[in-house]
Amino acid sequence: MSAATPVLERTLPNGLTVLLREAHDAPLASFWTWYRVGSRNETPGKTGVSHWVEHMQFKGTPTLAKGAIFRDVSKHGGTLNAMTSNDWTAYFETLPADRLDLAIRIEADRMANSLFDPEETESERTVILSERQGAENSPTYLLYEEVVGAAFRAHPYRHMVIGYETDLRTISRDDLYGHYRCYYRPNNAFVAAVGDFDADELFGRIERAFGDLQPGPEPPAMRVAEPPQLGERRVTLHRPAPTAYLRMAFRTPAARHPDTAAILVADAVLSGGKGMGLGGGGPMGRSSRLYRALVAAGLARSAGSDFDLTIDPYLLIVAVTALPGVDPDRIERVLDDELVRLRSEPVPHEELARALKQVRAQYVYSAEGVTNQAFWLGQMEIVDRYARTETLMDELGRVTPADVQRVAQTYLTPETRTVGWLLPAERGGSTTDGEAVVAAVLPRRWGTGGSTAPARPPSNADPEQSIVRANDEMVDASAPSGASMATKRAPFERAELPNGIVVLGQPRPADPTVVVRVRLEAGAVSDPVDRGGLAAFTARMLPRGTARGSFEEFNQATDALGATVGVEAGRHFAEVAIRCLREDLPALLDLATDLLRRPTFPGEEIEKVRNQLLTAIREQDNETRAMADLALRRLVYPPSHPYARRPTGEAASIEAIGRDELVAFHAAHYGPQVMTVAVVGGIENVGEVVDLLAARFGDWDAQASPPAAVAMPAPPGETVRTTTSIPGKSQADLAVGFPTLPRSDPAYYPLEMANLILGRLGLMGRLGASVRDAQGLAYYVFSVLEPGRHGSLWVSRAGIDPSNVDRALASVVAEVRRLRDEPVTGEELDDAKSYMTGILPLALEANDGVAATLLNIEYYDLGLDYLDRYPGIINALSRDDLLAAVRSHLDPQRLAIGVAGPPHGS
């Protein structure tokens, strides 16, 4: 996204446009193939066909066997996915740059030769229905669907990308294949790639692979124009839900419109700067108007807005999650007051400057990594022209207060809005009789690879609740963080202050941004048995007032710098996560110092955080994935065990926590002896960070000791199962678990590799091949080995139709038995080794990923040379090693099973 690296643009005779940008920061390349087809190109009766075709693109060609795409990319140390939106369908592979021919071969082949086998079509039908059910499990998805459907009367934007269930049950194989042949042509597609390659040479390889593909007739133009909206429209849903939710949608113009920049700034004034493309710097805007008027005022758990870039006119949507008991009419009145103010008064220059700084910072953050850059390039080419990625910042810089007021008066009016409320219906709550995933709901962008495709962070979330969590179940430093030393990474560095603070880092002097993660061993394992959630409550209170200033002043400072500071506590750690421009690092460390060393725990803020935590707990109680996981843990661990409790606590314990307990927990568990800092990005060397930290923390002498070792129970004597019923759900979630060996056990490596083969490699490993691909029982199914110092937990999770729970469970158990009864194949072993030793350049591309790896290396005492030793550890493993590890540490006869879903018969 830098003008210093121009895009090479060429078009083949068959109409395929190629956009290539060189980026030589890492030995990686991201290859995207874009098709100008999405849900806006669908006709009544065939909604969801574009997304379904995307799924079928992984079912093979005459030369690519089913499953080969995921398997081949994975074993070469890459990642891939596909996604469908209203306006486009895209496929990508990010790989070591010297493996890029694999992506070219895959995409050229399936552009023309994908198979649409009738049996595969029917199998995938149940997968997509499961995906739809998973989305419906979220009350906000149903509200979003109703609001958008009411906002559009004629345009195909009115239906969700996944389509209506009635259509998904009737679409035929011929419908799918006809859609594929109509739109999957080189003259309706383009390639966008960014990475460590020579653009001219890569173009030659693309030309040889795609050049012989035949163009087709021009696809039918989408000619429907939405008629003007003549008055406000309203939707009210009554559903089982933990609280009330609001969506307010305003009609806005297409991305090409000259008002786009001013609307983006107005959106930032309302709720902070948003990430662009795939990512960004995380949620901003705690000094924004909606946060201050609704969240800081104690009326809502979250409040935000979102404006996306689309081919045709779409919507700016305001989203609010009310706190329980707050009158919805009051929330709407407060929101209306803020919109009136935006229309009637120019934005003060200081506030405008703060919003612009956030947008500019998000632009820089969104350019981290070749995958993000390639996506942003392609998305802008779809909705306008790729060159606008270079000019958009200049457009934003020219926006004036008068421009913001003008677009608010033009577009954010009562006459052109659609208001939707979801109000809680009477319900009895979750019930457990002795036993799941809410799909990540990003309705405008749907993915294939077992998860919804990435999108920019939700603008309607409280930033404190949206950072990368402080590892409730810690990501292992060994899994995809290990190994090919083909990468030219800067060395890891370690230092220690005299008072015990450990400083880890990797300098990347050319990087304009810095990530800081401050980790303290002050997580939920230290909660008293009757005060679950105390660690989480304490962590969230830290920025709510310090000796230096109020929470409002803290928010204004971070937003003015275009930075994000999130504080959260998980099962083991409390963590402060910072992302900033490198020139602002000292100022952000000043803020972090105050919140860690000198929090004041104001009473008014305590009550606000208490209400937010209580709402979060109610929302978790309404989520099938969360409740299936909680049910599993309560079967594995005794009631008093910290792993049997959720880190956020229960409503009764949160209600009982007082200020004195928060102050005491901070005094007992926050101090230099339990603090580790990881800094990655635009620094010259770790020494400069040590100096900055020593000036701020060098005299900190608070006494805090690491928590005591957590005793691990024996596995269940036999398989046990419990089911939780949650009214109003469409999908059930399944969690199957087994407590196992500690991370330090030498058998951890072969067990991790065996699990990779079982539930992760390719499209969710053997589990994906059986439960999803062969039987069509689940949209996603996978397994993970969650590491721990004193004991790990193996878990398999699946989201399934409630009628298929027992079949899916039997298939999961059967695959575990097979893993235990017979060695993996030589090909599986080779593929797993290739993946685990080839993924390092990609795993260590992003600053935050490196920071997390450094923290885990320190926590598990692996040594800074761990990544150099890792290939030898992995390549030494044999089939017999894997078999022995599974037989010793994973017993299918003694599993714990949690299920959560709709009541039986509903």
Side-chain angles (χ1 to χ4, degrees):
M1 296 166 67
S2 167
T5 53
V7 173
L8 183 149
E9 178 185 12
R10 293 176 185 168
T11 301
L12 302 182
N14 61 12
L16 180 73
T17 296
V18 180
L19 306 174
L20 305 177
R21 169 176 281 153
E22 296 180 19
H24 302 289
D25 297 329
L28 297 168
S30 191
F31 189 91
W32 289 70
T33 305
W34 296 78
Y35 295 92
R36 299 182 186 275
V37 57
S39 62
R40 72 186 285 274
N41 303 98
E42 296 166 358
T43 56
K46 297 180 182 179
T47 64
V49 67
S50 300
H51 172 248
W52 194 339
V53 166
E54 175 220 303
H55 277 233
M56 298 302 295
Q57 289 293 87
F58 293 88
K59 298 297 184 178
T61 72
T63 59
L64 281 171
K66 174 185 172 181
I69 293 173
F70 274 95
R71 184 177 63 249
D72 290 350
V73 173
S74 293
K75 75 180 183 182
H76 284 94
T79 187
L80 75 158
N81 210 328
M83 54 195 79
T84 306
S85 86
N86 295 100
D87 295 329
W88 46 261
T89 307
Y91 304 81
F92 79 91
E93 299 81 24
T94 301
L95 289 151
D98 61 359
R99 319 277 175 89
L100 201 54
D101 280 343
L102 174 61
I104 296 171
R105 175 172 62 85
I106 289 170
E107 298 304 341
D109 193 0
R110 63 180 172 183
M111 183 176 283
N113 302 315
S114 285
L115 301 175
F116 283 70
D117 179 82
E119 291 186 5
E120 293 292 345
T121 298
E122 291 308 309
S123 175
E124 203 63 22
R125 187 189 308 276
T126 60
V127 169
I128 290 174
L129 286 168
S130 176
E131 186 178 1
R132 164 96 202 181
Q133 290 170 340
E136 291 173 354
N137 270 13
S138 169
T140 55
Y141 173 84
L142 296 172
L143 178 60
Y144 181 92
E145 183 172 42
E146 290 298 319
V147 169
V148 173
F152 292 99
R153 296 282 177 82
H155 196 285
Y157 281 166
R158 71 189 311 270
H159 66 260
M160 298 295 96
V161 172
I162 196 160
Y164 298 122
E165 181 178 344
T166 50
D167 292 347
L168 298 176
R169 293 191 180 279
T170 59
I171 288 172
S172 69
R173 181 268 177 193
D174 290 345
D175 292 331
L176 295 167
Y177 188 72
H179 195 77
Y180 168 66
R181 293 316 314 146
C182 178
Y183 291 100
Y184 280 61
R185 300 284 189 176
N187 52 309
N188 194 50
F190 65 92
V191 166
V194 176
D196 189 18
F197 50 70
D198 178 277
D200 285 306
E201 190 273 336
L202 179 59
F203 176 79
R205 288 148 61 191
I206 294 171
E207 185 176 32
R208 288 190 291 274
F210 288 86
D212 291 336
L213 299 180
Q214 295 301 305
E218 286 297 316
M222 208 295 293
R223 301 185 184 279
V224 178
E226 183 68 19
Q229 183 171 338
L230 303 180
E232 180 186 88
R233 300 169 187 170
R234 281 192 173 261
V235 173
T236 303
L237 298 182
H238 295 272
R239 301 277 300 181
T243 189
Y245 300 91
L246 169 67
R247 297 294 183 268
M248 186 179 289
F250 297 88
R251 299 272 289 273
T252 50
R256 288 189 178 93
H257 196 282
D259 283 343
T260 290
I263 297 172
L264 284 169
V265 176
D267 175 53
V269 170
L270 285 174
S271 63
K274 316 299 191 302
M276 300 180 183
L278 277 182
M284 297 179 180
R286 284 183 301 207
S287 68
S288 68
R289 295 188 175 190
L290 296 186
Y291 187 93
R292 294 171 67 183
L294 291 165
V295 181
L299 302 177
R301 178 171 182 252
S302 61
S305 58
D306 183 70
F307 170 63
D308 216 342
L309 305 180
T310 51
I311 292 175
D312 299 322
Y314 193 64
L315 303 167
L316 183 149
I317 299 179
V318 176
V320 181
T321 299
L323 289 174
V326 176
D327 182 2
D329 289 341
R330 183 182 178 191
I331 286 177
E332 196 168 330
R333 286 196 301 272
V334 171
L335 176 56
D336 283 341
D337 288 344
E338 290 302 323
L339 294 171
V340 168
R341 184 158 70 100
L342 194 65
R343 292 193 297 265
S344 60
E345 303 173 8
V347 177
H349 286 281
E350 181 182 356
E351 185 180 10
L352 181 66
R354 192 162 61 237
L356 285 171
K357 178 64 181 275
Q358 293 172 54
V359 174
R360 291 192 187 101
Q362 291 282 23
Y363 181 83
V364 174
Y365 301 147
S366 298
E368 183 178 74
V370 293
T371 305
N372 291 338
Q373 292 181 43
F375 174 87
W376 182 229
L377 197 68
Q379 185 192 38
M380 194 59 80
E381 174 67 12
I382 286 282
V383 300
D384 191 354
R385 284 286 288 142
Y386 75 86
R388 201 171 182 192
T389 62
E390 302 296 349
T391 63
L392 184 58
M393 284 301 100
D394 290 338
E395 293 179 54
L396 292 164
R398 292 193 294 269
V399 172
T400 66
D403 292 328
V404 174
Q405 184 178 9
R406 175 180 55 79
V407 296
Q409 292 170 345
T410 304
Y411 303 109
L412 305 185
T413 65
E415 296 78 20
T416 60
R417 73 182 183 183
T418 301
V419 181
W421 277 101
L422 187 149
L423 303 176
E426 291 297 324
R427 54 169 288 181
S430 303
T431 60
T432 301
D433 65 13
E435 187 193 18
V437 150
V438 174
V441 180
L442 302 166
R444 298 198 60 253
R445 193 178 299 159
W446 293 81
T448 290
S451 62
T452 306
R456 69 195 196 184
S459 61
N460 61 327
D462 184 340
E464 289 177 58
Q465 300 161 6
S466 304
I467 65 165
V468 177
R469 292 185 65 85
N471 294 326
D472 284 0
E473 280 69 52
M474 201 157 45
V475 176
D476 188 5
S478 78
S481 299
S484 164
M485 288 301 102
T487 181
K488 300 175 182 178
R489 63 175 177 86
F492 294 161
E493 300 179 32
R494 183 185 189 278
E496 188 168 338
L497 299 186
N499 61 358
I501 295 174
V502 174
V503 184
L504 308 163
Q506 185 188 46
R508 298 180 170 188
D511 198 319
T513 69
V514 179
V515 164
V516 181
R517 292 179 69 162
V518 182
R519 174 179 286 182
L520 298 101
E521 294 186 56
V525 294
S526 298
D527 285 346
V529 173
D530 63 345
R531 288 295 187 269
L534 180 56
F537 204 152
T538 302
R540 294 191 184 188
M541 281 300 303
L542 297 183
R544 293 276 172 161
T546 70
R548 179 176 178 174
S550 67
F551 186 44
E552 181 176 356
E553 291 169 325
F554 175 87
N555 293 334
Q556 289 178 343
T558 56
D559 281 352
L561 295 170
T564 60
V565 180
V567 189
E568 192 69 89
R571 207 171 294 279
H572 289 278
F573 311 109
E575 192 165 299
V576 180
I578 298 170
R579 193 169 192 178
C580 64
L581 300 177
R582 62 186 174 195
E583 61 267 23
D584 298 324
L585 178 59
L588 269 298
L589 291 179
D590 287 340
L591 293 172
T593 303
D594 282 325
L595 68 88
L596 285 170
R597 296 187 60 178
R598 293 178 283 274
T600 55
F601 299 98
E604 181 181 0
E605 295 296 333
I606 289 173
E607 295 311 310
K608 291 177 184 177
V609 172
R610 190 192 313 277
N611 286 334
Q612 291 182 359
L613 283 168
L614 290 170
T615 306
I617 291 166
R618 293 181 63 163
E619 290 184 314
Q620 290 171 17
D621 288 344
N622 194 55
E623 294 174 358
T624 53
R625 179 171 186 169
M627 295 309 292
D629 187 75
L630 184 61
L632 161 67
R633 292 178 186 279
R634 288 175 173 172
L635 291 173
V636 171
Y637 305 106
S640 61
H641 197 284
Y643 291 0
R645 308 191 300 266
R646 49 186 166 194
T648 51
E650 300 296 331
S653 60
I654 295 299
E655 289 278 16
I657 291 172
R659 182 181 184 277
D660 289 348
E661 291 167 295
L662 296 168
V663 172
F665 188 92
H666 175 264
H669 298 285
Y670 283 74
Q673 294 294 326
V674 295
M675 177 169 157
T676 304
V677 183
V679 183
V680 181
I683 58 174
E684 294 296 330
N685 55 69
V686 171
E688 71 175 82
V689 177
V690 170
D691 291 342
L692 290 171
L693 291 171
R696 292 159 175 81
F697 291 98
D699 62 344
W700 195 19
D701 58 1
Q703 299 301 306
S705 300
V710 178
M712 303 305 293
E718 60 183 0
T719 292
V720 289
R721 174 172 171 168
T722 184
T723 301
T724 300
S725 296
I726 306 178
K729 300 303 177 183
S730 300
Q731 179 177 261
D733 273 273
L734 172 68
V736 183
F738 185 82
T740 187
L741 76 180
R743 172 66 180 79
S744 58
D745 193 306
Y748 183 87
Y749 292 101
L751 187 63
E752 168 66 10
M753 184 181 287
N755 178 72
L756 178 72
I757 293 167
L758 174 66
R760 290 176 49 211
L761 192 64
L763 184 58
M764 297 169 282
R766 288 180 175 183
L767 294 178
S770 171
V771 179
R772 172 173 165 152
D773 262 10
Q775 301 178 73
L777 296 177
Y779 170 54
Y780 77 90
V781 57
F782 63 95
S783 61
V784 294
L785 187 58
E786 298 173 352
R789 267 184 178 173
H790 310 296
S792 303
L793 183 67
W794 174 85
V795 183
S796 175
R797 297 186 173 94
I800 44 192
D801 185 286
S803 64
N804 291 329
V805 168
D806 289 339
R807 288 178 60 198
L809 174 59
S811 297
V812 170
V813 174
E815 289 300 332
V816 175
R817 286 198 180 107
R818 181 160 75 98
L819 192 70
R820 182 185 171 95
D821 291 344
E822 59 190 53
V824 301
T825 67
E827 182 181 18
E828 286 176 321
L829 183 72
D830 290 343
D831 287 353
K833 289 181 178 181
S834 180
Y835 172 78
M836 294 177 77
T837 61
I839 195 69
L840 178 64
L842 183 59
L844 299 183
E845 182 189 18
N847 291 345
D848 195 62
V850 176
T853 296
L854 285 168
L855 290 171
N856 288 339
I857 285 174
E858 179 71 17
Y859 181 71
Y860 289 118
D861 195 24
L862 298 172
L864 293 186
D865 64 343
Y866 170 69
L867 298 182
D868 298 312
R869 294 183 287 105
Y870 184 81
I873 297 171
I874 295 304
N875 287 323
L877 296 176
S878 68
R879 297 166 64 202
D880 289 342
D881 292 332
L882 272 61
L883 186 64
V886 174
R887 286 178 172 174
S888 297
H889 303 290
L890 183 56
D891 188 349
Q893 304 298 322
R894 305 169 67 188
L895 299 173
I897 301 164
V899 180
H904 182 69
S906 65

